């Protein structure tokens, strides 16, 4: 059972309430595909991923980044039961999408960096700790149903 | 084994020139974040009186570490040779578990993302990430 402090709950809710999902989602997925190019293996049907400029300008990537980010909303609304909330999504990522769960951590590192740039000074060490704890729980839940 | 391309090296050098006059600020912030986000790293600093962000030992050590990164930028064409002494220090005296290099690297990237939001593009990010990984490997060279 994950125990959340009041500060952590408030921080996570606050970050997501202020988030520009389009901007952050697209930027995060694009950054992940650029910084960790092997992740492109899952996006064979997404058109031109030939170089950084192409990835950054790719509308399918931008849209999918937003989708992924909205997927986190479920966790924000169910912080006390993230494992159960993501059981189905975990099965999907394992059995249908065949995504190596190590990739979840790579994406979450990129998300941390993009959110940090957005929040600037407000992304203090304590806020970062809460945010990374939240993402670690999400990553763990998403990897749970792999076998 | 990653090799840094000529483009990676140029990107790192150009970007680091912008960081050069903020080494203490950047180093202190990265170190503070590491201690806050990854509390297990505090075990290496039990000899400090004050581990809080912005404290004197954190500022001083943050600067020291960043100057070390700067040293690595300067010898980017041969990290193993250039970081030999530092590697021996970390291997035989400090004995920092190399897993922590990755942790500090991540915190440094977060700080750079905050302080240089326009310059820290995805292309700069990937070159820096590769560089920090190469730096970490060079620092671990003498461990065993």
């Amino acid at each position: 059972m994950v125990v959340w402090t009041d500060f952590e709950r408030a921080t996570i809710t606050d970050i997501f309430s202020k988030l520009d999902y389009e901007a952050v989602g697209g930027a995060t997925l694009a950054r992940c595909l650029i910084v960790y190019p092997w992740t492109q293996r899952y996006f064979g049907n997404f058109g031109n991923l030939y170089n950084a400029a192409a990835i950054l300008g790719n509308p399918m990537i931008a849209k999918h980044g937003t989708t992924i980010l909205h997927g986190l909303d479920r966790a924000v609304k169910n912080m006390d039961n993230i494992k159960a909330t993501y059981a189905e999504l975990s099965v999907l990522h394992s059995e249908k999408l065949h995504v190596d769960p190590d990739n979840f951590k790579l994406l979450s590192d990129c998300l941390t960096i993009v959110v940090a740039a957005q929040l600037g000074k407000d992304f203090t060490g304590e806020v970062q700790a809460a945010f990374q704890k939240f993402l670690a729980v999400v990553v763990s839940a998403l990897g749970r149903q792999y076998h | 084994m990653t090799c840094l391309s000529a483009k990676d090296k140029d990107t790192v050098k150009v970007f680091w020139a912008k960081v050069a006059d903020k080494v203490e600020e950047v180093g202190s912030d990265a170190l503070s974040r590491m201690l806050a986000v990854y509390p297990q790293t505090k075990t290496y600093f039990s000899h400090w009186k004050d581990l809080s962000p912005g404290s004197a030992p954190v500022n001083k050590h943050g600067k020291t570490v960043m100057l070390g990164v700067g040293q690595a930028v300067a010898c980017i064409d041969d990290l193993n040779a250039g970081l030999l002494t530092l590697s021996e220090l970390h291997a035989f005296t400090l004995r920092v578990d190399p897993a922590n290099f990755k942790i500090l690297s991540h915190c440094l990237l977060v700080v750079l993302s905050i302080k240089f939001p326009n310059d820290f593009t995805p292309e700069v990010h990937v070159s820096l990430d590769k560089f920090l990984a190469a730096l970490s490997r060079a620092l671990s060279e003498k461990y065993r």
Side-chain angles (χ1 to χ4, degrees):
Chain A
M1 250 292 287
V2 184
V3 179
W4 303 100
T5 65
D6 290 338
F7 172 81
E8 286 164 348
R9 282 182 204 275
T11 299
I12 299 306
T13 317
D14 188 52
I15 289 177
F16 279 87
S17 70
K18 293 188 180 123
L19 213 55
D20 179 345
Y21 281 76
E22 268 88 41
V24 171
T28 299
L29 185 57
R31 194 169 278 255
C32 187
L33 296 173
I34 293 167
V35 179
Y36 309 108
W38 54 93
T39 57
Q40 291 169 26
R41 74 190 304 282
Y42 302 108
F43 297 94
N45 299 330
F46 276 62
N48 186 1
L49 300 180
Y50 191 61
N51 54 32
I55 294 172
L56 286 163
N58 185 317
M60 291 177 77
I61 294 297
K63 182 159 178 268
H64 196 64
T66 312
T67 303
I68 293 175
L69 206 52
H70 276 298
L72 289 178
D73 289 342
R74 282 185 243 189
V76 178
K77 293 194 177 83
N78 293 286
M79 280 179 72
D80 291 311
N81 206 358
I82 293 179
K83 195 163 68 179
T85 305
Y86 279 141
E88 228 182 276
L89 264 179
S90 178
V91 170
L92 175 80
H93 282 76
S94 163
E95 306 202 346
K96 244 192 138 194
L97 305 175
H98 306 292
V99 177
D100 181 341
D102 283 348
N103 292 287
F104 303 146
K105 175 134 202 317
L106 299 179
L107 186 65
S108 80
D109 282 349
C110 287
L111 181 58
T112 301
I113 280 169
V114 172
V115 167
Q118 246 223 339
L119 298 183
K121 286 191 175 62
D122 290 339
F123 199 68
T124 62
E126 287 80 24
V127 168
Q128 184 182 341
F131 193 63
Q132 288 197 201
K133 176 176 168 178
F134 171 76
L135 290 179
V137 173
V138 167
V139 163
S140 168
L142 271 179
R144 207 73 177 51
Q145 303 303 326
Y146 279 65
H147 60 91
Chain B
M1 274 282 142
T2 330
C3 264
L4 295 172
S5 68
K7 181 163 177 255
D8 287 325
K9 292 179 189 178
D10 279 336
T11 303
V12 169
K13 285 182 201 164
V14 166
F15 183 78
W16 201 257
K18 298 180 182 151
V19 178
D21 61 350
K22 292 191 170 153
V23 276
E24 185 169 345
E25 209 183 305
V26 168
S28 172
D29 196 354
L31 205 61
S32 302
R33 269 167 208 280
M34 183 189 79
L35 297 168
V37 181
Y38 304 93
Q40 70 271 21
T41 57
K42 291 195 279 195
T43 56
Y44 290 97
F45 304 100
S46 53
H47 55 288
W48 285 357
K49 283 201 172 61
D50 189 353
L51 282 157
S52 56
S55 69
V58 171
N59 286 349
K60 181 164 179 262
H61 196 62
K63 183 176 173 185
T64 302
V65 173
M66 283 309 110
L67 289 175
V69 175
Q71 188 184 323
V73 175
C75 64
I76 202 169
D77 290 315
D78 192 346
L79 287 170
N80 283 347
L83 296 177
L84 181 62
T85 316
L86 274 175
S87 181
E88 287 175 344
L89 176 75
H90 284 77
F92 304 127
T93 310
L94 302 176
R95 288 176 291 196
V96 175
D97 189 317
N100 295 289
F101 300 150
K102 214 166 182 221
I103 288 175
L104 184 58
S105 298
H106 171 70
C107 291
L108 177 55
L109 292 176
V110 171
V111 172
L112 295 175
S113 172
I114 292 173
K115 292 204 188 305
F116 302 93
N118 298 320
D119 295 303
F120 192 66
T121 62
E123 285 114 309
V124 168
H125 180 167
V126 59
S127 294
L128 262 172
D129 195 43
K130 288 171 74 176
F131 165 68
L132 290 173
L135 199 173
S136 302
R137 265 198 314 277
L139 268 185
S140 321
E141 261 295 295
K142 292 291 164 201
Y143 272 62
R144 55 179 174 175

